[in-house]
Amino acid sequence: MRVRGVAILGAALLGAATLAGCGHPGDDAALAWGPCPDLAAYVTDLGVDAGVVDRLQCATVDVPLDYTDPGGRRIDLAVSRVAGTDPAATTLFVNPGGPGVEGRSMAVTVASELDLPGAVVGIDLRGTGYSTSLDCDEPDAPDTRDDGSLHAYADEIAAGNRECVAADPGFVASITTANAARDLDTVRQRLGLDTVDYLGVSWGTVLGAELQTRYPQHLRRVVLDSMDYTGMSAGDALRTLAAADPDVPAVLVPEPSDLGAGDGDGPAPDDPEVTLDPDTLDFLDRAVDGTAGVAYICNSLDPVGDTATQLARNLGIGAELGRDPLRRIEFPADSDVPGVSLCSGWPLPGEAAAVADTGTDLLIVGHRDEMVTPYPWALDAHAAMGGQLLTIEDDVHGSTVGSSCGWLVTQFLDAGTIDESDCTPD
């Protein structure tokens, strides 16, 4: 199942040192922190420094399936943390986006890249990684692209979506951006932290927008890199994506297993010359969850319409912008055939992301020429939420932390402001 990847994936958990935020010591005695061999093996194979991996621990936090029924069914979240060098420094929560990508490994990568004084926490959101999840099948893409094949393919997707929701309707309905934000805030509470920082990349920026809108009193500083679309219209998103990619081959976002730590030289599982730790392979099996990715996206959109509507909209926007009519626009909710949505027949109503200016110290990062989350979405978010806008003069999705511009993220987390509003990576 195709879901958008991310440009930063990293690893792990804090050590047994006490966490703190805004001067209030954390009390995590209720969490059973312990080793996480799969995650540790993965980030070690990525080349993360052993000193960072040594500070990695994992735990499980149970949260309500439905926050309106806290005494009802519970689900588990897998959490990682990397201890900082200063127990009094603010803890940073991170999310790599996708949606559907596991979140624990990013804690290690960010801790390694930014060398922050505080702890870094990563969470496998509900439905992803080692958290409670549901595995639904996706039909194979058709071999031909004639109208009959595409309509039949969309019908299969719609039937599969109905089956998936019916398998566990309460759980699938709960896989929303709002509940992901509630889950992160619950983890914050379980760690005994009054205030945390947040760094989100790609779809993790939508989660960050929700967090800073719902819980501004518990956030000190928020960084959103490669700002994603926060609206509910597939047509509006398609138009922006088409304008950003007028007539060139579509950019393919790398899979998590193809991503390195810092220098881009991570492991390639299909390379016969590379031998990976068996625990790394186990971890990679859960790195991206297509079912969760589809649910997070489809639960946030208005209905995408039937197949004829989808194809006509795709081709119409292409014609409007003068694109090659043989090329369809790719959208995060697309199947393996651009123009046919994975949200076809989705039986649940969409829920808009909460986006507001709450006065939070906020840094929105847009990449001038990228085509995964186009620059206009960063401008839209800046207009809606305020904060500071940092423009990266490149075309690389979510590249800021791992580039020579990463010092601006560190500066913002430290001081709440940045010296430059524009940066060109070396």
Side-chain angles (χ1 to χ4, degrees):
M1 185 169 282
R2 192 185 77 84
V3 291
R4 217 187 301 185
V6 291
I8 307 175
L9 284 177
L13 264 208
L14 336 178
T18 301
L19 298 180
C22 272
H24 296 275
D27 178 10
D28 59 354
L31 299 185
W33 293 106
C36 26
D38 293 356
L39 178 55
Y42 172 63
V43 297
T44 297
D45 277 334
L46 283 178
V48 172
D49 184 84
V52 176
V53 180
D54 286 345
R55 293 181 278 142
L56 167 65
Q57 288 183 310
C58 291
T60 300
V61 177
D62 69 303
V63 299
L65 174 72
D66 180 354
Y67 278 89
T68 67
D69 182 20
R73 179 179 168 188
R74 313 284 291 185
I75 58 174
D76 290 334
L77 302 178
V79 182
S80 72
R81 64 177 188 175
V82 176
T85 56
D86 180 359
T90 303
T91 296
L92 175 68
F93 279 39
V94 297
N95 182 267
V101 176
E102 59 82 26
R104 295 182 305 155
S105 67
M106 184 178 174
V108 176
T109 294
V110 169
S112 175
E113 292 282 1
L114 296 185
D115 192 26
L116 299 170
V120 186
V121 172
I123 302 168
D124 289 353
L125 300 180
R126 60 176 65 197
T128 71
Y130 285 70
S131 296
T132 300
S133 62
L134 176 69
D135 186 18
C136 295
D137 293 330
E138 177 197 355
D140 294 331
D143 294 328
T144 59
R145 297 295 187 265
D146 59 276
D147 284 352
S149 296
L150 294 182
H151 280 73
Y153 179 45
D155 288 345
E156 288 184 52
I157 292 173
N161 283 337
R162 290 190 292 270
E163 273 184 31
C164 187
V165 173
D168 194 340
F171 182 65
V172 178
S174 82
I175 302 178
T176 65
T177 311
N179 277 333
R182 294 181 182 109
D183 289 344
L184 262 64
D185 194 63
T186 298
V187 174
R188 175 197 63 77
Q189 294 176 56
R190 291 288 295 275
L191 291 174
L193 303 173
D194 286 345
T195 308
V196 298
D197 292 337
Y198 176 81
L199 167 62
V201 179
S202 191
W203 178 85
T205 63
V206 182
L207 176 55
E210 187 95 32
L211 273 171
Q212 73 92 36
T213 301
R214 289 180 176 272
Y215 305 108
Q217 71 276 27
H218 296 303
L219 291 167
R220 190 187 66 139
R221 287 168 191 142
V222 173
V223 179
L224 307 179
D225 184 15
S226 283
M227 189 68 218
D228 209 337
Y229 178 64
T230 58
M232 298 183 70
S233 167
D236 287 350
L238 281 166
R239 186 169 284 101
T240 304
L241 287 162
D245 176 19
D247 197 21
V248 296
V251 171
L252 299 178
V253 180
E255 292 296 322
S257 57
D258 296 331
L259 296 170
D263 60 5
D265 295 328
D270 295 330
D271 185 343
E273 300 301 318
V274 174
T275 301
L276 296 180
D277 188 299
D279 283 334
T280 295
L281 298 175
D282 290 341
F283 181 85
L284 289 172
D285 282 342
R286 303 195 196 192
V288 180
D289 191 289
T291 298
V294 170
Y296 278 114
I297 291 174
C298 300
N299 281 333
S300 70
L301 290 176
D302 288 328
V304 296
D306 61 19
T307 316
T309 300
Q310 293 175 42
L311 295 175
R313 178 174 58 217
N314 200 302
L315 292 174
I317 291 173
E320 173 189 327
L321 296 173
R323 288 169 51 99
D324 181 347
L326 298 180
R327 285 198 55 237
R328 294 189 176 91
I329 310 156
E330 289 196 70
F331 178 59
D334 277 346
S335 65
D336 289 331
V337 180
V340 177
S341 178
L342 281 173
C343 297
S344 298
W346 190 254
L348 300 172
E351 178 181 352
V355 180
D357 185 346
T358 59
T360 305
D361 281 354
L362 174 65
L363 179 64
I364 295 171
V365 184
H367 297 255
R368 180 83 70 182
D369 298 315
E370 78 149 293
M371 292 175 285
V372 180
T373 54
Y375 186 67
W377 289 343
L379 301 179
D380 291 345
H382 184 232
M385 295 188 291
Q388 296 175 261
L389 177 67
L390 171 61
T391 301
I392 306 295
E393 301 293 346
D394 70 3
D395 60 359
V396 184
H397 181 64
S399 64
T400 308
V401 167
S403 77
S404 60
C405 297
W407 69 274
L408 288 165
V409 173
T410 303
Q411 183 182 65
F412 180 80
L413 291 173
D414 180 55
T417 189
I418 51 175
D419 290 339
E420 309 286 344
S421 60
D422 191 282
C423 183
T424 302
D426 292 340

